[in-house]
Amino acid sequence: MKLLTHNMMRSHCKGAVNGFPLKLNFSQVNIKEIEFNPDFINRMLSRLEWSVLVDTATQLGVNEGLPEMLPENQEIDDEETLKKIHHVLLEVEVVEGELECPETGKKFPISKGIPDMRLNEDE
Amino acid sequence: LLYTIKFEAMSKKQAKKHLKSIHRSLKHLSDLVGHPCTPTQTPSHFMLLANAGHTNGIGRADVSSVLECCLPPSTYKLFFPPDKHFSVLYVDSIREDLLDLINFSKVRDNVVYCTYITEDISLESVTGAKPPGLFIHHDIVSQETEEELMAFFLEHSKNARQSQDNLKNRVTLHFGYKFDYKTNLVDLSAPLENPIPDCVADIIDLIKPHIFMSPNQLTVNIYEPGQGIPKHVDTHSIFTSEILSVSLGSDVVMDFKNPSTGQVVPVLIPGRSLTVMSGESRYLWHHGITPRKTDALQDVTHRSLRISLTLREVTSEPCTCPYAAQCDSQNYGKPVCGAVESEEEAVRVEGQYVSEVYEQIADHFSGTRHTPWPGVVRFINSLPPHSLVLDVGCGNGKYLGARSDVCLIGNDNSANLCGICRDRGHEVFVCNALRIPFRRGSCDAVICIAMLHHMTTPERRVVVLQNIADLLCQEGLGLVTVWAQEQHIDLADQGAESCLSADSSEEGGVGRRQFDSQDVFVDWQLKGASGSSGVSSQDNNKVYYRYYHVFREGELADLVTQIPGVELVGMTYEKANWCAVFRKL
């Protein structure tokens, strides 16, 4: 699971109002090289919950100088910064771990890089 | 409040309205009775009352109030065709003044327009024709016998009720042979633990003149008001050509549905009657009782306790009926598919005939799904670069690598299929389309290819579409494709091309399918099966059945219009699929 995906995900549990962000526990992380595209990163910026990305990257130990906050216009020119964001968003993958709904505590396993977000009828 | 206003002089406008209304109603009446019905000034036994039907909110009592000024109740009969805006009046003796007395009367804010009808009307047609082969014999047992039988089975059921899991369900007892509701089959080898009781054997003797077969299996159902039974057709392979039902206690309306045409016919089953289902009504039409406390057919009736005795003859001869789609003998053990009517059933069918099947067939399925369908690729290519796109029901990830400058993330309900996506380097997660765990407005586009047709009820389809709409950012686009019921619409354009949907062309397309009804099971022959589920077909490959609801023209558009905040921007028919594109406003 990439951190981009994690940033887009929210819990769909019954009774969860926001369900965001999902707490992340991990036991195995992979780094996979992905082609860098500055335009894509810029386009994603406005869609991200920036603080969640920074916190999660820090938690995983892959935060290597991400800006604390995004600029007002949510655009970044500096290529180095964009590359850092690219790395964290797309190249870091949680292979084994688990996601947890922040409101109900329901746990979703991540196995072989795939989060299983299925819920029972009553959940 | 009912009141009557008489118009002395008919204005031109009134005359026009009168004529239009009469002719519209007469057309419907003609369709019902199967012959033209002609309006006439000449007094006759039959009169049409336009704007005095059930859909006008008018009931029997309302019309009776108007008639009581001029007709004693015993001298006339009133008939309300189901779901129509007119009623039909029959008078024992012809009256010259009747038309003027009733014409232009106001009933519950409706102005009633009347005309005599030239022809004699078959009143049974007016109240709704029955499915062919269905016969109802009234007063088959006396009131005394009815009371005795009901007391007998209520006593008998006390033990059964105690061991029931769900007290909301009706109580069912079996005699003669045991009937399994899960498989819809009877175990022919099982010993006769409970032989048919003597009191029922006596009834069978009474019934003999009306039937051809000899019943040897009895199922007793005890219905409290509010209980029913989902629509079904009695299994062809184990019961013979007549299904009998002796109805004790309350009257009830039983709904018959033709799975080929979708036509629904409600039939009143009175207490102390014998219903014989044969021919089409036994082999083709599905029948059921809606779980509710009142019925409304010719009148509103409130249900009370009802006990039905279903008598059938068990056989081991395969069925040779002409209704193959409903026939398990001719479909080699294939389950018969009907429309899904409850949440419980929806969950069960989607579990057993979609989710579990795809888990079992994932590898084989993926092997046959390699060609991205041009229509979908076109859509993906039309998106702005660097879009974020979610593929709901991504299967083996066929589209997840379609374009390198667009970020495609997939989700599927099958963990095995997601595994295959992952092996190919795609980003994917497992979830059910009814609960998609993604933030609202996060996606530039969502594609949902050949997935929505696996949802078993219109409500669940709407939920999926709503979820897709929620995912879209403003101006975001959704693409949804589903199998069409009509398979030939664009064949003229395709020439000799024999592929079906993008799906089936890869199933070694042997040409287009015919879909007899909209709810179907489509088989999948698993090569080299090792799984434990599935039914063996004749050549020892495992066969799996997938549920599909195939869409009529306009049906998908109809669903999209139920989603607030989106606008349908395209609806096309391509290679036996309906394809809708909609934009989030």
Side-chain angles (χ1 to χ4, degrees):
Chain A
M1 182 194 70
K2 296 179 202 268
L3 295 193
L4 169 63
T5 310
H6 171 256
N7 204 274
M8 295 298 145
M9 273 183 156
R10 68 164 181 116
S11 162
H12 229 288
C13 290
K14 279 184 185 161
V17 175
N18 281 322
F20 180 84
L22 288 153
K23 292 187 200 164
L24 175 62
N25 300 320
F26 64 97
S27 54
Q28 190 187 339
V29 170
N30 231 17
I31 307 293
K32 178 176 168 187
E33 209 174 299
I34 301 282
E35 193 180 320
F36 170 64
N37 189 310
D39 294 322
F40 177 74
I41 303 301
N42 256 313
R43 200 190 150 105
M44 280 300 112
L45 290 180
S46 55
R47 211 157 288 174
L48 297 170
E49 288 292 330
W50 184 254
S51 57
V52 171
L53 181 67
V54 173
D55 289 342
T56 312
T58 309
Q59 184 194 353
L60 289 174
V62 294
N63 182 353
E64 287 160 16
L66 290 170
E68 276 294 310
M69 272 179 16
L70 285 179
E72 283 268 325
N73 65 351
Q74 295 184 313
E75 263 180 46
I76 291 180
D77 291 323
D78 175 45
E79 189 162 292
E80 279 309 304
T81 312
L82 284 173
K83 276 190 178 161
K84 284 180 186 166
I85 299 171
H86 161 85
H87 176 73
V88 155
L89 266 186
L90 298 175
E91 294 186 332
V92 176
E93 296 183 340
V94 179
V95 179
E96 298 292 327
E98 133 194 302
L99 292 166
E100 188 184 315
C101 173
E103 287 164 62
T104 67
K106 160 87 185 170
K107 292 189 162 61
F108 303 97
I110 304 174
S111 170
K112 298 188 185 151
I114 306 170
D116 189 339
M117 310 303 294
R118 287 178 292 187
L119 292 160
N120 291 328
E121 284 300 300
D122 53 326
E123 284 171 327
Chain B
L1 275 177
L2 304 169
Y3 54 99
T4 307
I5 297 176
K6 304 286 172 57
F7 295 79
E8 299 300 329
M10 214 199 305
S11 66
K12 248 190 180 169
K13 193 176 176 187
Q14 271 290 353
K16 232 179 158 181
K17 272 191 177 176
H18 184 279
L19 207 63
K20 197 172 171 191
S21 186
I22 296 281
H23 276 100
R24 201 166 49 213
S25 301
L26 278 172
K27 166 140 196 345
H28 284 269
L29 182 62
S30 305
D31 286 342
L32 273 176
V33 300
H35 62 78
C37 296
T38 326
T40 177
Q41 304 276 25
T42 313
S44 72
H45 286 286
F46 292 93
M47 188 150 75
L48 173 83
L49 308 173
N51 291 340
H54 277 160
T55 57
N56 301 97
I58 289 175
R60 183 170 297 273
D62 302 321
V63 181
S64 299
S65 299
V66 173
L67 297 175
E68 71 188 1
C69 62
C70 40
L71 283 178
S74 57
T75 63
Y76 69 85
K77 292 200 182 91
L78 256 182
F79 296 89
F80 289 83
D83 274 335
K84 295 277 185 274
H85 55 284
F86 62 89
S87 48
V88 175
L89 174 68
Y90 167 83
V91 288
D92 285 342
S93 37
I94 298 180
R95 285 178 59 153
E96 306 249 328
D97 57 343
L98 199 57
L99 189 78
D100 290 327
L101 284 170
I102 307 174
N103 212 0
F104 300 111
S105 299
K106 209 161 182 202
V107 183
R108 287 195 186 275
D109 291 332
N110 292 277
V111 177
V112 180
Y113 301 119
C114 309
T115 178
Y116 294 112
I117 303 169
T118 313
E119 296 82 358
D120 281 344
I121 308 287
S122 148
L123 290 165
E124 209 195 61
S125 321
V126 174
T127 58
K130 298 204 241 307
L134 183 71
F135 305 102
I136 301 181
H137 304 280
H138 300 256
D139 302 312
I140 200 76
V141 293
S142 66
Q143 259 184 306
E144 206 188 320
T145 312
E146 177 190 48
E147 279 165 26
E148 282 168 13
L149 284 168
M150 289 184 80
F152 176 85
F153 286 111
L154 282 172
E155 184 58 43
H156 210 101
S157 74
K158 281 186 180 155
N159 290 336
R161 191 171 279 288
Q162 274 163 5
S163 60
Q164 246 187 323
D165 313 311
N166 187 352
L167 291 172
K168 271 178 18 183
N169 292 342
R170 65 187 193 280
V171 175
T172 303
L173 309 165
H174 300 284
F175 302 85
Y177 288 90
K178 179 107 170 69
F179 183 78
D180 185 341
Y181 278 99
K182 282 208 190 101
T183 57
N184 275 342
L185 293 174
V186 155
D187 188 351
L188 289 173
S189 59
L192 305 176
E193 272 183 12
N194 288 320
I196 296 183
D198 290 334
C199 52
V200 177
D202 294 338
I203 305 296
I204 294 176
D205 286 333
L206 271 179
I207 291 174
K208 279 210 164 90
H210 300 292
I211 59 177
F212 294 108
M213 51 73 135
S214 295
N216 55 16
Q217 195 269 338
L218 166 68
T219 297
V220 178
N221 278 294
I222 303 177
Y223 297 87
E224 301 276 0
Q227 294 176 337
I229 182 169
K231 284 202 198 67
H232 63 282
V233 67
D234 285 53
T235 310
H236 290 201
S237 62
I238 45 161
F239 299 120
T240 57
S241 59
E242 288 171 312
I243 309 284
L244 315 178
S245 174
V246 175
S247 191
L248 307 169
S250 178
D251 290 354
V252 82
V253 168
M254 181 174 283
D255 295 314
F256 283 80
K257 180 170 177 175
N258 185 326
S260 303
T261 63
Q263 186 191 5
V264 178
V265 174
V267 177
L268 179 71
I269 311 287
R272 293 192 293 113
S273 68
L274 166 71
T275 304
V276 180
M277 287 185 274
S278 62
E280 249 190 61
S281 68
R282 182 262 179 276
Y283 285 112
L284 173 66
W285 292 69
H286 290 223
H287 59 273
I289 295 173
T290 309
R292 59 188 177 206
K293 293 188 175 171
T294 59
D295 294 303
L297 206 52
Q298 287 307 302
D299 222 331
V300 175
T301 51
H302 301 269
R303 294 185 191 173
S304 53
L305 183 72
R306 173 179 177 260
I307 298 184
S308 74
L309 312 180
T310 304
L311 288 158
R312 297 177 278 208
E313 182 184 34
V314 161
T315 178
S316 51
E317 294 288 310
C319 177
T320 55
C321 72
Y323 311 104
Q326 310 303 318
C327 185
D328 60 314
S329 289
Q330 297 174 56
N331 282 308
Y332 306 111
K334 177 175 173 174
V336 170
C337 193
V340 165
E341 292 180 347
S342 69
E343 270 296 294
E344 269 176 340
E345 215 193 323
V347 172
R348 183 184 68 82
V349 173
E350 285 169 21
Q352 191 179 351
Y353 294 108
V354 183
S355 309
E356 284 165 30
V357 172
Y358 278 111
E359 290 291 24
Q360 293 292 325
I361 69 176
D363 283 319
H364 184 204
F365 176 81
S366 174
T368 64
R369 297 299 190 264
H370 39 74
T371 314
W373 183 29
V376 178
V377 174
R378 231 179 6 249
F379 175 84
I380 295 174
N381 286 338
S382 74
L383 300 171
H386 320 303
S387 290
L388 180 64
V389 183
L390 192 65
D391 184 347
V392 174
C394 62
N396 67 342
K398 193 159 77 166
Y399 299 108
L400 296 179
R403 194 175 147 186
S404 55
D405 65 341
V406 156
C407 180
L408 282 144
I409 300 176
N411 66 265
D412 201 277
N413 201 35
S414 160
N416 287 339
L417 284 172
C418 284
I420 292 171
C421 294
R422 182 83 196 155
D423 291 340
R424 297 176 178 180
H426 299 307
E427 177 74 347
V428 79
F429 56 93
V430 190
C431 80
N432 190 305
L434 292 167
R435 327 272 289 273
I436 306 178
F438 240 49
R439 282 197 274 131
R440 286 168 173 263
S442 54
C443 301
D444 293 295
V446 174
I447 62 175
C448 180
I449 311 303
M451 179 265 145
L452 194 71
H453 50 215
H454 286 310
M455 307 309 295
T456 52
T457 70
E459 292 78 23
R460 287 164 91 83
R461 291 163 211 142
V462 166
V463 169
V464 172
L465 289 173
Q466 181 68 67
N467 288 344
I468 293 174
D470 287 343
L471 290 169
L472 294 172
C473 63
Q474 204 178 18
E475 303 299 316
L477 290 172
L479 168 67
V480 177
T481 76
V482 293
W483 281 18
Q485 181 177 20
E486 280 171 279
Q487 299 283 294
H488 303 287
I489 294 179
D490 60 346
L491 259 183
D493 303 333
Q494 298 299 328
E497 200 176 335
S498 69
C499 61
L500 179 53
S501 59
D503 249 14
S504 306
S505 64
E506 302 179 274
E507 282 174 305
V510 286
R512 302 205 169 188
R513 288 179 219 275
Q514 281 305 321
F515 291 116
D516 289 321
S517 87
Q518 285 190 264
D519 298 289
V520 292
F521 286 129
V522 176
D523 55 281
W524 181 275
Q525 311 264 351
L526 184 62
K527 308 277 187 274
S530 55
S532 56
S533 47
V535 174
S536 290
S537 75
Q538 288 184 307
D539 27 338
N540 272 335
N541 276 327
K542 288 258 185 272
V543 180
Y544 291 89
Y545 296 105
R546 290 169 297 162
Y547 169 88
Y548 284 83
H549 172 85
V550 295
F551 282 64
R552 283 179 281 106
E553 181 165 2
E555 190 179 340
L556 184 58
D558 209 55
L559 290 179
V560 174
T561 57
Q562 291 179 46
I563 311 297
V566 300
E567 176 186 59
L568 189 67
V569 296
M571 176 64 72
T572 54
Y573 178 95
E574 269 183 70
K575 295 195 181 156
N577 278 258
W578 290 111
C579 314
V581 178
F582 51 89
R583 178 192 298 122
K584 178 85 165 273
L585 298 168

